[in-house]
Amino acid sequence: MTSITYAKQQLITRLCVRCGLLLMQYGAESAVVVDLSKRLGLALGMDSVECALGFNALTLTTIYNERCITTTRDTANQSINVNLLVQIQQIVNKTEASVCSEELVDITTQAFNELDKTVYPSWLVALFVGGSCAAFAFLNGGSWSITAVTFVAGMVAMLTRIFLSKQYFNPFITVIITAFIASVIGATTYYFDIGNNADIAVASSVLLLVPSFPLINSLSDILKGYINIGIGRAVFTYMLTLSAGVGIVMALLLLSIKHWGF
C-alpha cells in the first residue's frame, strides 16, 4: 500500500475503534484492548495508533504522514464472551501476517462482520449454573435434598437474570432481583425443614452473582498501569456485590429469618 487517502484512513480508524469496543464490551482487560487495537492499525498501514480508555468510552487516534484522525465511542457492557475475544485476536494475527494491500482493509472489515457471536441457549446456561451452585452446596456438606433445592434456586435465578438483562434493566436492579429470588427459593429449606443445613442452600443459591471475572480484570488493569479504568471496574464489581447483599437481606427480612449464617 503506497499511499493512504483520508477516506481510507477513516475506514482504518473506524475498524480499530470497532476492534477496541468489541474487546471492552465482551470482557477483555485494558492491556489487551490497547495492544490489539494498536497492532491492527499498524498492520493496516498506519504510522502510529494511540488509544485511551475510560470505563464507558474509548478514544482512538490514527496517525499517517502526520495526519491525525481521532474518534471517541461509548461502550456498552455485554456478557463475557471469551470465544469472541479469541476470534478478534485471530483476525489481528491474520492481518499482521498478510501483505499490506489495498484490499486488506476490506478483507479485515469482512472478517469483523462475520464474527461468530453465537451464545449458548438460556436454558442450557441456566442448567449448568444451577449445577454449579448445587455442586458447591454438596461440597460444603449439604445433603442431597439441599443440593436439589440449590439446583432449582440457581437455575431459576439465572433464567431471571438473563431475562432482565435482555429487557435492558439496570444491572444493579437485575442483581438485586436475582439475589432476592434465589434467596427466597433457597430459604424454603427453613420452612419445610429440608435437608441437614438450610444455611448451605441459601448461601450456595447466590453463587452465580459473584463477579469474579470483572474483579480479576480490575486488579489486572490496576497492576498494569490502567488505574482509572481499573478503579472504575472495581467500583462496579463492588456495587454488584452490594446489590446481591441487598437482595439477600430483603429476602431474609421478608421471610423473617433472623438466624441465617454459619
Side-chain angles (χ1 to χ4, degrees):
M1 187 181 296
T2 57
S3 180
I4 297 178
T5 63
Y6 183 83
K8 180 69 72 174
Q9 186 178 350
Q10 282 184 315
L11 292 176
I12 295 173
T13 304
R14 291 169 184 164
L15 193 57
C16 291
V17 80
R18 180 182 181 185
C19 172
L21 282 176
L22 287 172
L23 290 169
M24 287 187 67
Q25 290 172 350
Y26 289 96
E29 60 178 283
S30 299
V32 174
V33 176
V34 173
D35 180 59
L36 291 182
S37 299
K38 287 186 174 182
R39 285 169 54 190
L40 180 61
L42 295 176
L44 294 174
M46 295 293 98
D47 295 333
S48 177
V49 178
E50 305 298 332
C51 186
L53 304 180
F55 181 71
N56 290 320
L58 183 151
T59 301
L60 185 138
T61 299
T62 58
I63 304 172
Y64 178 76
N65 283 347
E66 299 184 356
R67 182 179 64 205
C68 301
I69 297 180
T70 301
T71 184
T72 301
R73 296 288 189 275
D74 292 332
T75 63
N77 289 328
Q78 304 287 342
S79 57
I80 296 169
N81 190 333
V82 179
N83 177 49
L84 192 66
L85 303 183
V86 172
Q87 291 181 64
I88 294 174
Q89 187 170 17
Q90 291 174 340
I91 292 174
V92 174
N93 291 338
K94 186 176 181 180
T95 303
E96 288 180 323
S98 303
V99 177
C100 199
S101 63
E102 292 291 338
E103 294 79 20
L104 187 57
V105 176
D106 296 331
I107 294 173
T108 306
T109 301
Q110 184 63 27
F112 273 95
N113 292 337
E114 295 175 352
L115 282 172
D116 182 12
K117 297 183 180 180
T118 303
V119 295
Y120 293 111
S122 299
W123 65 268
L124 184 60
V125 174
L127 185 67
F128 275 89
V129 168
S132 65
C133 293
F136 184 81
F138 183 77
L139 291 174
N140 277 276
S143 62
W144 284 108
S145 55
I146 289 291
T147 301
V149 172
T150 304
F151 173 78
V152 174
M155 184 172 61
V156 173
M158 192 62 201
L159 286 172
T160 302
R161 187 176 190 179
I162 293 173
F163 173 78
L164 294 177
S165 297
K166 289 182 178 179
Q167 304 303 316
Y168 303 102
F169 272 67
N170 181 285
F172 305 123
I173 300 299
T174 297
V175 170
I176 290 174
I177 296 175
T178 302
F180 177 83
I181 291 176
S183 299
V184 167
I185 297 176
T188 57
T189 52
Y190 287 106
Y191 282 92
F192 298 100
D193 195 23
I194 299 174
N196 58 339
N197 192 335
D199 293 333
I200 295 177
V202 177
S204 302
S205 298
V206 295
L207 180 66
L208 67 140
L209 297 174
V210 177
S212 55
F213 200 96
L215 188 60
I216 293 172
N217 272 350
S218 67
L219 180 60
S220 177
D221 289 342
I222 292 173
L223 293 177
K224 293 180 180 179
Y226 298 93
I227 305 297
N228 291 337
I229 189 171
I231 293 175
R233 284 179 167 179
V235 172
F236 183 75
T237 58
Y238 296 151
M239 288 299 298
L240 289 179
T241 305
L242 177 61
S243 299
V246 170
I248 296 171
V249 171
M250 288 174 58
L252 297 180
L253 290 177
L254 177 66
L255 299 175
S256 299
I257 299 174
K258 301 178 181 179
H259 60 281
W260 177 75
F262 293 98

